[in-house]
Amino acid sequence: MQVDGFVIVGAGEAGVAAAFEMRRSGFVGRITLLDGEAEAPYARPPLSKDVLAGQMPNPPAIVDTEAFLDARIDVRSGVRVAEIDPHRRLVVVREAAHPGVIRFERLLLATGSRARRLAGVEGHVLRNLNDSKRLAAALQEARSLVIIGAGVIGLEVASVATSLGVKTTVLEAAPQIMGRCLSAHLSRTIAELHQANGVEIRLGIRNLKARTDGETMSVETDQGLFQGSLALVAAGGEPNTGLAEAAGCEIEDGILVDQYGETSIPGIYAAGDVASILLPRYGTRVRLEAWQHARRHGASVARNMCGGREVYDEVPWFWTDQHGTNLQVAGLTRFADTEVVRHVSGGRVHFLFGGGALVAAATLNRPADMGPAIRLIEHGWAGPPELLANPRSNLRDIARAAPPVGVAA
Amino acid sequence: MTWFPLLDVAALENGEPRSVEMPGDIIALYQIGGEVFATSDICPHGNARLSEGWLSGHTIECPLHQALFDVRDGSLIDGPNCPGVRSYTVRVSNGVVELKMEL
């Protein structure tokens, strides 16, 4: 008799991290990792950077094939799950090449997110390896590019396209670029960086309509007509909640999970981009689309699937490289009411306080300052903002002196 | 066996990595509770200095992409898919940190 094991749907960072963490947590049963894409699990950060620029033919594997073998993780690429039967505890695959059912004792949904498309707008999107390769090939031929959406992906593409000599225009509906993750001040700085490198940025765009005229993409807006030989829709991501919804899981933007990663159906969990999670440190529900979050949340939920009772409360963090500038952001900027800037050689650090405590920080060409900044956010550091802004203060000493997490000040 | 002198051990602060150049590599030194460890300072994943990262226990976090390495043997604990970082054997002799040269 075969004992039912753990099944993971989705082999992005969250699914892969979860699979290995199950083994580290001592789970000896079967682990099946299913993914609809044909390729073995690969890293996505280079898709909007080196792969797109034609400097890296293929992204690295998330882990090497041997590691899956050594950990006895059964990876099945190119397998799309058709349905989940929560009562009989089955995952159903109807594809001609791999029909069948897989029984599970516990199930993890790490189905990620897809690029949002805009009605009536045809253009490239960028989410997976195929998208990246298609866009990379098109960029080699293109003379001009219109990007709809000034989020991280859109701006990374603007940076790569410009470096390839493609004239680039970015259209954004919001009044600032990267509005979800940057303060207005830092957003202006990044916009200036793009403008200095020849990117045209238009904010507050309304009534956008696009059409293809032969070789030209035309985008009509309230601010005029923008044309390019290519268009990219980079208007954010939508969680792949279809399977979960059909199975009866509660959905709230993403798949609703509790602090342990369990959905409204016992034994079914969700992690990464697709999960709507509660972050206790901010007291709010969020859905995060970021590499580090996917890994850490996947691993945390895996430990809970193996019997742990761990409340996930990581400080969200991401990096982006644009026009040779390294930008890193930790924490949630939207909880800030006060901002101070530390100007230091080579770059600067923005510290964002909310209700007197540090809630977010961003480093511009100062990666070394991110380590202490994250620890200060973890501690909910509530000292004087001027101390962090003062370039003569030692961030590392201040971070090390902060009381251990969980100890009341 | 050859030992290459790097710097005075007194120059190392507990928990604060420090970078030292020597012929052929740049070395990150870590003093943890009086013990000294050494790895290459260059992250095997990206072009970053591990000595600019955050040291927590025996784990150094790369400042660029948060790869985590064990400073005792250079092994990758977590992070992007990359090899471990080269680790070096060091000793403290008469107050000087010395690195064992592999000949």
Side-chain angles (χ1 to χ4, degrees), chain A residues 57-93:
Chain A
N58 281 298
I62 294 178
V63 296
D64 299 333
T65 313
E66 306 82 68
F68 284 116
L69 292 172
D70 290 348
R72 293 176 297 106
I73 296 163
D74 182 7
V75 186
R76 302 191 202 169
S77 299
V79 174
R80 251 180 293 270
V81 171
E83 195 190 324
I84 292 157
D85 183 333
H87 307 292
R88 292 157 65 209
R89 306 253 136 192
L90 294 176
V91 163
V92 182
V93 177

PDB file of all heavy atoms in Angstrom, chain A residues 57-93:
ATOM      1  N   PRO A  57      21.717  33.106 -21.971  1.00  0.00           N
ATOM      2  CA  PRO A  57      20.801  32.377 -22.847  1.00  0.00           C
ATOM      3  C   PRO A  57      19.618  31.775 -22.098  1.00  0.00           C
ATOM      4  O   PRO A  57      18.492  31.778 -22.599  1.00  0.00           O
ATOM      5  CB  PRO A  57      21.674  31.292 -23.463  1.00  0.00           C
ATOM      6  CG  PRO A  57      22.928  31.255 -22.682  1.00  0.00           C
ATOM      7  CD  PRO A  57      23.070  32.549 -21.953  1.00  0.00           C
ATOM      8  N   ASN A  58      19.872  31.260 -20.909  1.00  0.00           N
ATOM      9  CA  ASN A  58      18.810  30.661 -20.113  1.00  0.00           C
ATOM     10  C   ASN A  58      19.003  31.026 -18.653  1.00  0.00           C
ATOM     11  O   ASN A  58      20.133  31.132 -18.198  1.00  0.00           O
ATOM     12  CB  ASN A  58      18.817  29.138 -20.251  1.00  0.00           C
ATOM     13  CG  ASN A  58      18.161  28.701 -21.548  1.00  0.00           C
ATOM     14  OD1 ASN A  58      16.981  28.949 -21.774  1.00  0.00           O
ATOM     15  ND2 ASN A  58      18.951  28.102 -22.422  1.00  0.00           N
ATOM     16  N   PRO A  59      17.930  31.189 -17.914  1.00  0.00           N
ATOM     17  CA  PRO A  59      18.091  31.488 -16.490  1.00  0.00           C
ATOM     18  C   PRO A  59      18.610  30.255 -15.766  1.00  0.00           C
ATOM     19  O   PRO A  59      18.407  29.131 -16.233  1.00  0.00           O
ATOM     20  CB  PRO A  59      16.674  31.831 -16.041  1.00  0.00           C
ATOM     21  CG  PRO A  59      15.781  31.122 -16.992  1.00  0.00           C
ATOM     22  CD  PRO A  59      16.509  31.051 -18.291  1.00  0.00           C
ATOM     23  N   PRO A  60      19.266  30.435 -14.629  1.00  0.00           N
ATOM     24  CA  PRO A  60      19.725  29.278 -13.865  1.00  0.00           C
ATOM     25  C   PRO A  60      18.538  28.477 -13.321  1.00  0.00           C
ATOM     26  O   PRO A  60      17.462  29.030 -13.121  1.00  0.00           O
ATOM     27  CB  PRO A  60      20.533  29.882 -12.720  1.00  0.00           C
ATOM     28  CG  PRO A  60      20.401  31.343 -12.808  1.00  0.00           C
ATOM     29  CD  PRO A  60      19.610  31.720 -14.010  1.00  0.00           C
ATOM     30  N   ALA A  61      18.776  27.188 -13.116  1.00  0.00           N
ATOM     31  CA  ALA A  61      17.777  26.373 -12.424  1.00  0.00           C
ATOM     32  C   ALA A  61      17.655  26.879 -10.990  1.00  0.00           C
ATOM     33  O   ALA A  61      18.622  27.385 -10.432  1.00  0.00           O
ATOM     34  CB  ALA A  61      18.215  24.917 -12.422  1.00  0.00           C
ATOM     35  N   ILE A  62      16.470  26.738 -10.393  1.00  0.00           N
ATOM     36  CA  ILE A  62      16.330  27.141  -8.987  1.00  0.00           C
ATOM     37  C   ILE A  62      17.242  26.277  -8.123  1.00  0.00           C
ATOM     38  O   ILE A  62      17.923  26.778  -7.231  1.00  0.00           O
ATOM     39  CB  ILE A  62      14.860  27.038  -8.529  1.00  0.00           C
ATOM     40  CG1 ILE A  62      14.008  28.062  -9.296  1.00  0.00           C
ATOM     41  CG2 ILE A  62      14.746  27.289  -7.020  1.00  0.00           C
ATOM     42  CD1 ILE A  62      12.529  28.031  -8.961  1.00  0.00           C
ATOM     43  N   VAL A  63      17.246  24.981  -8.405  1.00  0.00           N
ATOM     44  CA  VAL A  63      18.257  24.092  -7.814  1.00  0.00           C
ATOM     45  C   VAL A  63      18.618  23.085  -8.905  1.00  0.00           C
ATOM     46  O   VAL A  63      17.860  22.878  -9.851  1.00  0.00           O
ATOM     47  CB  VAL A  63      17.765  23.322  -6.565  1.00  0.00           C
ATOM     48  CG1 VAL A  63      17.425  24.253  -5.427  1.00  0.00           C
ATOM     49  CG2 VAL A  63      16.562  22.479  -6.896  1.00  0.00           C
ATOM     50  N   ASP A  64      19.768  22.472  -8.772  1.00  0.00           N
ATOM     51  CA  ASP A  64      20.201  21.512  -9.790  1.00  0.00           C
ATOM     52  C   ASP A  64      19.358  20.234  -9.716  1.00  0.00           C
ATOM     53  O   ASP A  64      18.860  19.863  -8.652  1.00  0.00           O
ATOM     54  CB  ASP A  64      21.684  21.181  -9.597  1.00  0.00           C
ATOM     55  CG  ASP A  64      22.541  22.431  -9.746  1.00  0.00           C
ATOM     56  OD1 ASP A  64      22.103  23.353 -10.464  1.00  0.00           O
ATOM     57  OD2 ASP A  64      23.615  22.497  -9.127  1.00  0.00           O
ATOM     58  N   THR A  65      19.239  19.578 -10.881  1.00  0.00           N
ATOM     59  CA  THR A  65      18.421  18.367 -10.982  1.00  0.00           C
ATOM     60  C   THR A  65      18.808  17.316  -9.937  1.00  0.00           C
ATOM     61  O   THR A  65      17.947  16.661  -9.351  1.00  0.00           O
ATOM     62  CB  THR A  65      18.601  17.753 -12.386  1.00  0.00           C
ATOM     63  OG1 THR A  65      18.474  18.803 -13.328  1.00  0.00           O
ATOM     64  CG2 THR A  65      17.563  16.687 -12.669  1.00  0.00           C
ATOM     65  N   GLU A  66      20.124  17.180  -9.708  1.00  0.00           N
ATOM     66  CA  GLU A  66      20.578  16.151  -8.760  1.00  0.00           C
ATOM     67  C   GLU A  66      20.033  16.401  -7.361  1.00  0.00           C
ATOM     68  O   GLU A  66      19.796  15.462  -6.606  1.00  0.00           O
ATOM     69  CB  GLU A  66      22.117  16.090  -8.681  1.00  0.00           C
ATOM     70  CG  GLU A  66      22.831  15.912 -10.007  1.00  0.00           C
ATOM     71  CD  GLU A  66      22.978  17.225 -10.753  1.00  0.00           C
ATOM     72  OE1 GLU A  66      23.730  18.095 -10.282  1.00  0.00           O
ATOM     73  OE2 GLU A  66      22.317  17.389 -11.799  1.00  0.00           O
ATOM     74  N   ALA A  67      19.869  17.687  -7.036  1.00  0.00           N
ATOM     75  CA  ALA A  67      19.374  18.015  -5.689  1.00  0.00           C
ATOM     76  C   ALA A  67      17.949  17.481  -5.502  1.00  0.00           C
ATOM     77  O   ALA A  67      17.596  16.997  -4.426  1.00  0.00           O
ATOM     78  CB  ALA A  67      19.413  19.517  -5.453  1.00  0.00           C
ATOM     79  N   PHE A  68      17.134  17.555  -6.580  1.00  0.00           N
ATOM     80  CA  PHE A  68      15.777  16.992  -6.491  1.00  0.00           C
ATOM     81  C   PHE A  68      15.858  15.471  -6.304  1.00  0.00           C
ATOM     82  O   PHE A  68      15.107  14.899  -5.508  1.00  0.00           O
ATOM     83  CB  PHE A  68      14.987  17.304  -7.763  1.00  0.00           C
ATOM     84  CG  PHE A  68      14.500  18.729  -7.859  1.00  0.00           C
ATOM     85  CD1 PHE A  68      14.951  19.569  -8.862  1.00  0.00           C
ATOM     86  CD2 PHE A  68      13.575  19.227  -6.948  1.00  0.00           C
ATOM     87  CE1 PHE A  68      14.496  20.874  -8.965  1.00  0.00           C
ATOM     88  CE2 PHE A  68      13.105  20.531  -7.038  1.00  0.00           C
ATOM     89  CZ  PHE A  68      13.577  21.369  -8.047  1.00  0.00           C
ATOM     90  N   LEU A  69      16.762  14.856  -7.042  1.00  0.00           N
ATOM     91  CA  LEU A  69      16.915  13.404  -6.921  1.00  0.00           C
ATOM     92  C   LEU A  69      17.365  13.030  -5.520  1.00  0.00           C
ATOM     93  O   LEU A  69      16.808  12.139  -4.885  1.00  0.00           O
ATOM     94  CB  LEU A  69      17.928  12.894  -7.955  1.00  0.00           C
ATOM     95  CG  LEU A  69      17.494  12.975  -9.417  1.00  0.00           C
ATOM     96  CD1 LEU A  69      18.653  12.629 -10.348  1.00  0.00           C
ATOM     97  CD2 LEU A  69      16.301  12.052  -9.679  1.00  0.00           C
ATOM     98  N   ASP A  70      18.402  13.735  -5.040  1.00  0.00           N
ATOM     99  CA  ASP A  70      18.946  13.425  -3.715  1.00  0.00           C
ATOM    100  C   ASP A  70      17.873  13.566  -2.633  1.00  0.00           C
ATOM    101  O   ASP A  70      17.855  12.808  -1.665  1.00  0.00           O
ATOM    102  CB  ASP A  70      20.109  14.371  -3.373  1.00  0.00           C
ATOM    103  CG  ASP A  70      21.337  14.082  -4.235  1.00  0.00           C
ATOM    104  OD1 ASP A  70      21.355  13.024  -4.908  1.00  0.00           O
ATOM    105  OD2 ASP A  70      22.263  14.917  -4.249  1.00  0.00           O
ATOM    106  N   ALA A  71      17.004  14.569  -2.805  1.00  0.00           N
ATOM    107  CA  ALA A  71      15.976  14.811  -1.784  1.00  0.00           C
ATOM    108  C   ALA A  71      14.715  13.989  -2.058  1.00  0.00           C
ATOM    109  O   ALA A  71      13.726  14.123  -1.344  1.00  0.00           O
ATOM    110  CB  ALA A  71      15.637  16.301  -1.727  1.00  0.00           C
ATOM    111  N   ARG A  72      14.741  13.150  -3.091  1.00  0.00           N
ATOM    112  CA  ARG A  72      13.594  12.326  -3.484  1.00  0.00           C
ATOM    113  C   ARG A  72      12.344  13.186  -3.670  1.00  0.00           C
ATOM    114  O   ARG A  72      11.264  12.887  -3.156  1.00  0.00           O
ATOM    115  CB  ARG A  72      13.352  11.204  -2.462  1.00  0.00           C
ATOM    116  CG  ARG A  72      14.487  10.164  -2.435  1.00  0.00           C
ATOM    117  CD  ARG A  72      14.299   9.119  -1.358  1.00  0.00           C
ATOM    118  NE  ARG A  72      14.317   9.733  -0.040  1.00  0.00           N
ATOM    119  CZ  ARG A  72      13.238   9.919   0.713  1.00  0.00           C
ATOM    120  NH1 ARG A  72      12.051   9.511   0.330  1.00  0.00           N
ATOM    121  NH2 ARG A  72      13.355  10.498   1.889  1.00  0.00           N
ATOM    122  N   ILE A  73      12.528  14.273  -4.426  1.00  0.00           N
ATOM    123  CA  ILE A  73      11.386  15.117  -4.787  1.00  0.00           C
ATOM    124  C   ILE A  73      11.039  14.796  -6.235  1.00  0.00           C
ATOM    125  O   ILE A  73      11.881  14.901  -7.119  1.00  0.00           O
ATOM    126  CB  ILE A  73      11.730  16.611  -4.619  1.00  0.00           C
ATOM    127  CG1 ILE A  73      11.998  16.919  -3.141  1.00  0.00           C
ATOM    128  CG2 ILE A  73      10.599  17.487  -5.165  1.00  0.00           C
ATOM    129  CD1 ILE A  73      12.733  18.222  -2.907  1.00  0.00           C
ATOM    130  N   ASP A  74       9.807  14.364  -6.444  1.00  0.00           N
ATOM    131  CA  ASP A  74       9.363  13.935  -7.771  1.00  0.00           C
ATOM    132  C   ASP A  74       8.857  15.165  -8.545  1.00  0.00           C
ATOM    133  O   ASP A  74       7.720  15.580  -8.372  1.00  0.00           O
ATOM    134  CB  ASP A  74       8.251  12.881  -7.585  1.00  0.00           C
ATOM    135  CG  ASP A  74       7.752  12.332  -8.911  1.00  0.00           C
ATOM    136  OD1 ASP A  74       8.337  12.649  -9.958  1.00  0.00           O
ATOM    137  OD2 ASP A  74       6.750  11.588  -8.876  1.00  0.00           O
ATOM    138  N   VAL A  75       9.726  15.743  -9.367  1.00  0.00           N
ATOM    139  CA  VAL A  75       9.365  16.946 -10.117  1.00  0.00           C
ATOM    140  C   VAL A  75       8.759  16.543 -11.439  1.00  0.00           C
ATOM    141  O   VAL A  75       9.367  15.779 -12.200  1.00  0.00           O
ATOM    142  CB  VAL A  75      10.609  17.815 -10.418  1.00  0.00           C
ATOM    143  CG1 VAL A  75      10.191  19.129 -11.063  1.00  0.00           C
ATOM    144  CG2 VAL A  75      11.407  18.070  -9.174  1.00  0.00           C
ATOM    145  N   ARG A  76       7.565  17.013 -11.728  1.00  0.00           N
ATOM    146  CA  ARG A  76       6.941  16.713 -13.019  1.00  0.00           C
ATOM    147  C   ARG A  76       6.616  18.025 -13.721  1.00  0.00           C
ATOM    148  O   ARG A  76       5.654  18.709 -13.374  1.00  0.00           O
ATOM    149  CB  ARG A  76       5.672  15.882 -12.817  1.00  0.00           C
ATOM    150  CG  ARG A  76       5.977  14.574 -12.065  1.00  0.00           C
ATOM    151  CD  ARG A  76       4.793  13.645 -12.101  1.00  0.00           C
ATOM    152  NE  ARG A  76       4.863  12.697 -11.009  1.00  0.00           N
ATOM    153  CZ  ARG A  76       3.858  11.905 -10.662  1.00  0.00           C
ATOM    154  NH1 ARG A  76       2.701  11.977 -11.315  1.00  0.00           N
ATOM    155  NH2 ARG A  76       3.991  11.061  -9.663  1.00  0.00           N
ATOM    156  N   SER A  77       7.465  18.366 -14.697  1.00  0.00           N
ATOM    157  CA  SER A  77       7.255  19.597 -15.458  1.00  0.00           C
ATOM    158  C   SER A  77       6.323  19.314 -16.624  1.00  0.00           C
ATOM    159  O   SER A  77       6.215  18.181 -17.084  1.00  0.00           O
ATOM    160  CB  SER A  77       8.593  20.125 -15.973  1.00  0.00           C
ATOM    161  OG  SER A  77       9.443  20.418 -14.886  1.00  0.00           O
ATOM    162  N   GLY A  78       5.651  20.350 -17.106  1.00  0.00           N
ATOM    163  CA  GLY A  78       4.743  20.189 -18.238  1.00  0.00           C
ATOM    164  C   GLY A  78       3.463  19.469 -17.867  1.00  0.00           C
ATOM    165  O   GLY A  78       2.803  18.879 -18.721  1.00  0.00           O
ATOM    166  N   VAL A  79       3.117  19.503 -16.597  1.00  0.00           N
ATOM    167  CA  VAL A  79       1.889  18.829 -16.135  1.00  0.00           C
ATOM    168  C   VAL A  79       0.945  19.884 -15.551  1.00  0.00           C
ATOM    169  O   VAL A  79       1.225  20.494 -14.522  1.00  0.00           O
ATOM    170  CB  VAL A  79       2.216  17.769 -15.062  1.00  0.00           C
ATOM    171  CG1 VAL A  79       0.924  17.179 -14.495  1.00  0.00           C
ATOM    172  CG2 VAL A  79       3.089  16.673 -15.644  1.00  0.00           C
ATOM    173  N   ARG A  80      -0.160  20.106 -16.252  1.00  0.00           N
ATOM    174  CA  ARG A  80      -1.139  21.091 -15.780  1.00  0.00           C
ATOM    175  C   ARG A  80      -2.230  20.383 -14.990  1.00  0.00           C
ATOM    176  O   ARG A  80      -2.806  19.410 -15.456  1.00  0.00           O
ATOM    177  CB  ARG A  80      -1.751  21.816 -16.976  1.00  0.00           C
ATOM    178  CG  ARG A  80      -1.297  23.267 -17.096  1.00  0.00           C
ATOM    179  CD  ARG A  80      -1.939  23.926 -18.292  1.00  0.00           C
ATOM    180  NE  ARG A  80      -1.447  23.346 -19.522  1.00  0.00           N
ATOM    181  CZ  ARG A  80      -0.370  23.802 -20.165  1.00  0.00           C
ATOM    182  NH1 ARG A  80       0.286  24.832 -19.698  1.00  0.00           N
ATOM    183  NH2 ARG A  80       0.049  23.225 -21.267  1.00  0.00           N
ATOM    184  N   VAL A  81      -2.479  20.903 -13.809  1.00  0.00           N
ATOM    185  CA  VAL A  81      -3.522  20.320 -12.971  1.00  0.00           C
ATOM    186  C   VAL A  81      -4.881  20.838 -13.443  1.00  0.00           C
ATOM    187  O   VAL A  81      -5.056  22.034 -13.652  1.00  0.00           O
ATOM    188  CB  VAL A  81      -3.287  20.687 -11.494  1.00  0.00           C
ATOM    189  CG1 VAL A  81      -4.472  20.273 -10.633  1.00  0.00           C
ATOM    190  CG2 VAL A  81      -2.002  20.034 -11.004  1.00  0.00           C
ATOM    191  N   ALA A  82      -5.822  19.927 -13.653  1.00  0.00           N
ATOM    192  CA  ALA A  82      -7.147  20.316 -14.153  1.00  0.00           C
ATOM    193  C   ALA A  82      -8.095  20.635 -13.007  1.00  0.00           C
ATOM    194  O   ALA A  82      -8.946  21.505 -13.119  1.00  0.00           O
ATOM    195  CB  ALA A  82      -7.728  19.194 -15.005  1.00  0.00           C
ATOM    196  N   GLU A  83      -7.907  19.939 -11.909  1.00  0.00           N
ATOM    197  CA  GLU A  83      -8.920  20.031 -10.851  1.00  0.00           C
ATOM    198  C   GLU A  83      -8.366  19.486  -9.546  1.00  0.00           C
ATOM    199  O   GLU A  83      -7.491  18.614  -9.542  1.00  0.00           O
ATOM    200  CB  GLU A  83     -10.106  19.154 -11.285  1.00  0.00           C
ATOM    201  CG  GLU A  83     -11.387  19.359 -10.535  1.00  0.00           C
ATOM    202  CD  GLU A  83     -12.396  18.265 -10.901  1.00  0.00           C
ATOM    203  OE1 GLU A  83     -12.430  17.826 -12.075  1.00  0.00           O
ATOM    204  OE2 GLU A  83     -13.125  17.856  -9.988  1.00  0.00           O
ATOM    205  N   ILE A  84      -8.917  20.020  -8.466  1.00  0.00           N
ATOM    206  CA  ILE A  84      -8.587  19.481  -7.149  1.00  0.00           C
ATOM    207  C   ILE A  84      -9.888  18.981  -6.530  1.00  0.00           C
ATOM    208  O   ILE A  84     -10.885  19.705  -6.526  1.00  0.00           O
ATOM    209  CB  ILE A  84      -7.971  20.570  -6.251  1.00  0.00           C
ATOM    210  CG1 ILE A  84      -6.588  20.970  -6.789  1.00  0.00           C
ATOM    211  CG2 ILE A  84      -7.858  20.101  -4.807  1.00  0.00           C
ATOM    212  CD1 ILE A  84      -6.170  22.345  -6.360  1.00  0.00           C
ATOM    213  N   ASP A  85      -9.864  17.770  -6.033  1.00  0.00           N
ATOM    214  CA  ASP A  85     -11.032  17.239  -5.338  1.00  0.00           C
ATOM    215  C   ASP A  85     -10.705  17.225  -3.844  1.00  0.00           C
ATOM    216  O   ASP A  85      -9.983  16.347  -3.362  1.00  0.00           O
ATOM    217  CB  ASP A  85     -11.331  15.818  -5.850  1.00  0.00           C
ATOM    218  CG  ASP A  85     -12.596  15.258  -5.206  1.00  0.00           C
ATOM    219  OD1 ASP A  85     -12.934  15.682  -4.073  1.00  0.00           O
ATOM    220  OD2 ASP A  85     -13.239  14.393  -5.828  1.00  0.00           O
ATOM    221  N   PRO A  86     -11.205  18.230  -3.110  1.00  0.00           N
ATOM    222  CA  PRO A  86     -10.801  18.365  -1.706  1.00  0.00           C
ATOM    223  C   PRO A  86     -11.378  17.266  -0.807  1.00  0.00           C
ATOM    224  O   PRO A  86     -10.831  17.006   0.252  1.00  0.00           O
ATOM    225  CB  PRO A  86     -11.347  19.740  -1.311  1.00  0.00           C
ATOM    226  CG  PRO A  86     -12.454  20.018  -2.262  1.00  0.00           C
ATOM    227  CD  PRO A  86     -12.148  19.287  -3.528  1.00  0.00           C
ATOM    228  N   HIS A  87     -12.471  16.635  -1.235  1.00  0.00           N
ATOM    229  CA  HIS A  87     -13.100  15.623  -0.381  1.00  0.00           C
ATOM    230  C   HIS A  87     -12.401  14.288  -0.504  1.00  0.00           C
ATOM    231  O   HIS A  87     -12.107  13.633   0.487  1.00  0.00           O
ATOM    232  CB  HIS A  87     -14.592  15.504  -0.720  1.00  0.00           C
ATOM    233  CG  HIS A  87     -15.276  16.831  -0.682  1.00  0.00           C
ATOM    234  ND1 HIS A  87     -15.462  17.517   0.495  1.00  0.00           N
ATOM    235  CD2 HIS A  87     -15.743  17.624  -1.672  1.00  0.00           C
ATOM    236  CE1 HIS A  87     -16.048  18.677   0.224  1.00  0.00           C
ATOM    237  NE2 HIS A  87     -16.227  18.768  -1.084  1.00  0.00           N
ATOM    238  N   ARG A  88     -12.103  13.919  -1.762  1.00  0.00           N
ATOM    239  CA  ARG A  88     -11.391  12.653  -1.951  1.00  0.00           C
ATOM    240  C   ARG A  88      -9.887  12.838  -1.892  1.00  0.00           C
ATOM    241  O   ARG A  88      -9.128  11.893  -2.038  1.00  0.00           O
ATOM    242  CB  ARG A  88     -11.824  12.014  -3.273  1.00  0.00           C
ATOM    243  CG  ARG A  88     -13.302  11.554  -3.220  1.00  0.00           C
ATOM    244  CD  ARG A  88     -13.913  11.455  -4.600  1.00  0.00           C
ATOM    245  NE  ARG A  88     -13.273  10.428  -5.398  1.00  0.00           N
ATOM    246  CZ  ARG A  88     -13.165  10.447  -6.724  1.00  0.00           C
ATOM    247  NH1 ARG A  88     -13.640  11.482  -7.410  1.00  0.00           N
ATOM    248  NH2 ARG A  88     -12.578   9.466  -7.368  1.00  0.00           N
ATOM    249  N   ARG A  89      -9.446  14.101  -1.706  1.00  0.00           N
ATOM    250  CA  ARG A  89      -8.011  14.404  -1.573  1.00  0.00           C
ATOM    251  C   ARG A  89      -7.247  13.952  -2.815  1.00  0.00           C
ATOM    252  O   ARG A  89      -6.303  13.188  -2.741  1.00  0.00           O
ATOM    253  CB  ARG A  89      -7.413  13.747  -0.329  1.00  0.00           C
ATOM    254  CG  ARG A  89      -8.164  14.082   0.934  1.00  0.00           C
ATOM    255  CD  ARG A  89      -7.394  15.049   1.806  1.00  0.00           C
ATOM    256  NE  ARG A  89      -8.282  16.079   2.314  1.00  0.00           N
ATOM    257  CZ  ARG A  89      -7.887  17.202   2.925  1.00  0.00           C
ATOM    258  NH1 ARG A  89      -6.623  17.429   3.098  1.00  0.00           N
ATOM    259  NH2 ARG A  89      -8.738  18.087   3.340  1.00  0.00           N
ATOM    260  N   LEU A  90      -7.714  14.489  -3.960  1.00  0.00           N
ATOM    261  CA  LEU A  90      -7.113  14.117  -5.236  1.00  0.00           C
ATOM    262  C   LEU A  90      -6.751  15.352  -6.035  1.00  0.00           C
ATOM    263  O   LEU A  90      -7.489  16.336  -6.034  1.00  0.00           O
ATOM    264  CB  LEU A  90      -8.116  13.321  -6.095  1.00  0.00           C
ATOM    265  CG  LEU A  90      -8.572  11.957  -5.625  1.00  0.00           C
ATOM    266  CD1 LEU A  90      -9.631  11.423  -6.599  1.00  0.00           C
ATOM    267  CD2 LEU A  90      -7.389  11.013  -5.544  1.00  0.00           C
ATOM    268  N   VAL A  91      -5.645  15.251  -6.748  1.00  0.00           N
ATOM    269  CA  VAL A  91      -5.300  16.230  -7.768  1.00  0.00           C
ATOM    270  C   VAL A  91      -5.519  15.533  -9.102  1.00  0.00           C
ATOM    271  O   VAL A  91      -5.046  14.415  -9.298  1.00  0.00           O
ATOM    272  CB  VAL A  91      -3.831  16.676  -7.618  1.00  0.00           C
ATOM    273  CG1 VAL A  91      -3.339  17.355  -8.875  1.00  0.00           C
ATOM    274  CG2 VAL A  91      -3.679  17.594  -6.418  1.00  0.00           C
ATOM    275  N   VAL A  92      -6.283  16.163  -9.986  1.00  0.00           N
ATOM    276  CA  VAL A  92      -6.648  15.517 -11.245  1.00  0.00           C
ATOM    277  C   VAL A  92      -5.888  16.153 -12.406  1.00  0.00           C
ATOM    278  O   VAL A  92      -5.886  17.374 -12.558  1.00  0.00           O
ATOM    279  CB  VAL A  92      -8.167  15.644 -11.499  1.00  0.00           C
ATOM    280  CG1 VAL A  92      -8.566  14.917 -12.788  1.00  0.00           C
ATOM    281  CG2 VAL A  92      -8.951  15.115 -10.304  1.00  0.00           C
ATOM    282  N   VAL A  93      -5.245  15.328 -13.201  1.00  0.00           N
ATOM    283  CA  VAL A  93      -4.522  15.780 -14.393  1.00  0.00           C
ATOM    284  C   VAL A  93      -5.182  15.134 -15.600  1.00  0.00           C
ATOM    285  O   VAL A  93      -5.304  13.908 -15.646  1.00  0.00           O
ATOM    286  CB  VAL A  93      -3.028  15.375 -14.319  1.00  0.00           C
ATOM    287  CG1 VAL A  93      -2.300  15.784 -15.594  1.00  0.00           C
ATOM    288  CG2 VAL A  93      -2.362  15.999 -13.092  1.00  0.00           C
TER     289      VAL A  93
END
